Amino acid sequence: MLECAVFTHPGVSNNNGATYDRLEVLGDAYIELISTKLIWNKFQDIPSGRISQIRELLVKNETLSDYATRYGLDRRASVPPDYPKQPRRWVKTKADIFEAYVAAVVLSDPINGYSVTEEWLTQLWLPKIDELGQPKSSLHAKESLAKKIMGKGIKLNYVDEHPSVPRGRGGQTYFIGVYLTGWGWNHKHLGSGQGSNKAIAGDDAAQNALLNKSLLDEIVEAKKAHLSKG
C-alpha cells in the first residue's frame, strides 16, 4: 500500500490514503530537517539567512525533481496524462514524488528508517555542498553590485518578477529581478533570483548580475566615461 501510494498522484484517486498527498508533506518536513542539520554541522559560522539560502539550493523543486529522475521514480508515477507535457508542473510533481518517497523510506523501517534516510540524503547533497566551497558569512551580493555601479541619481530596483509559489510546510519561493536605471539605461534587467524569502531572492538576483561579466563591464565603463566628463 505504501509503495503504491508514493507514486500515485491525488488527481488519479479519490482516496488520500492511496496517494502521495499526505506522504509528500511528511517527506518535505524530513528533507527540511535533514538539510538544515547538514548545513548547521558543515558550516558553523554562518548566520541564519545564509543557512536558508544554502538549504534552498538543496531542497528546491528543481533539485528534488532531478533526484527523482535519477532514481527512475518518475517512470513509476501514476499521474494525470497531461502532466509530463507541462514542464513546470512536471518538475513540481517529480519533486513531490521524491518527498513522498523519502517519507516512505522513513516509515518503512520504524527503527532505522530515519538514520538510513539521513545518510542517503547527506550523500546526495554533499557534492552540491562541496561546490559552494566556504560560504560567505552573510548575504553580500547586493552590496557588491551597488559598489560597482551605483552613483548619484542611479537606481537599482529589486522587483517581484513573478508571484511567489507555494512550497512545503507553508513556505514560499519568491522571484526577484534587479534592474538598473542610469548610465544610459532605463530599467535594464541585470539578473534574476529566487529564494525562500525576498532578501535571499534579491541577493541571488544580485549574484547572478555579478556573474554577467560582459554586461557589468559595459556598465562600469559607461560609469567611468560619465564621471570623467564631470
Side-chain angles (χ1 to χ4, degrees):
M1 180 69 172
L2 186 62
E3 182 178 359
C4 181
V6 166
F7 302 105
T8 304
H9 188 276
V12 300
S13 174
N14 293 323
N15 180 2
N16 280 343
T19 75
Y20 62 68
D21 182 61
R22 285 165 52 85
L23 284 171
E24 67 160 298
V25 176
L26 182 60
D28 177 75
Y30 282 126
I31 287 170
E32 290 275 342
L33 173 61
I34 294 169
S35 61
T36 303
K37 182 180 176 184
L38 172 62
I39 299 163
W40 176 274
N41 290 332
K42 185 79 172 176
F43 306 113
Q44 299 186 6
D45 297 324
I46 62 175
S48 59
R50 187 61 173 133
I51 290 174
S52 297
Q53 191 176 41
I54 297 173
R55 183 177 60 206
E56 179 68 20
L57 173 68
L58 303 184
V59 307
K60 64 183 181 179
N61 286 336
E62 290 78 6
T63 299
L64 302 185
S65 173
D66 178 61
Y67 293 154
T69 300
R70 276 202 249 169
Y71 282 96
L73 305 184
D74 55 327
R75 296 195 296 271
R76 302 173 65 182
S78 176
V79 301
D82 60 325
Y83 272 40
K85 301 174 185 177
Q86 303 176 53
R88 182 174 292 184
R89 174 171 278 179
W90 187 225
V91 166
K92 173 66 165 61
T93 299
K94 289 191 292 181
D96 290 344
I97 291 171
F98 186 82
E99 290 171 343
Y101 188 84
V102 166
V105 173
V106 176
L107 294 175
S108 66
D109 184 347
I111 297 175
N112 299 310
Y114 178 82
S115 60
V116 168
T117 301
E118 183 174 25
E119 176 62 22
W120 167 47
L121 291 178
T122 296
Q123 293 306 314
L124 270 181
W125 283 326
L126 277 177
K128 284 188 174 293
I129 291 285
D130 291 340
E131 287 175 6
L132 295 172
Q134 186 61 39
K136 301 294 184 181
S137 61
S138 63
L139 302 178
H140 67 289
K142 281 187 175 182
E143 290 79 1
S144 297
L145 182 62
K147 285 179 181 178
K148 283 184 175 292
I149 64 178
M150 285 299 287
K152 185 177 181 180
I154 306 303
K155 294 181 180 179
L156 276 178
N157 293 319
Y158 290 84
V159 301
D160 294 309
E161 292 192 309
H162 308 287
S164 61
V165 175
R167 60 179 313 277
R169 297 178 65 195
Q172 300 279 326
T173 297
Y174 295 88
F175 303 89
I176 301 292
V178 56
Y179 294 80
L180 167 70
T181 296
W183 311 128
W185 284 274
N186 181 35
H187 202 61
K188 172 67 176 178
H189 176 256
L190 303 183
S192 298
Q194 59 180 280
S196 56
N197 60 49
K198 289 189 176 184
I200 291 174
D203 203 73
D204 190 42
Q207 183 62 51
N208 287 325
L210 290 167
L211 292 174
N212 190 349
K213 192 171 184 304
S214 60
L215 176 58
L216 202 62
D217 287 346
E218 185 180 354
I219 295 170
V220 170
E221 287 303 315
K223 175 182 177 180
K224 289 179 180 177
H226 179 85
L227 294 176
S228 67
K229 295 176 183 178

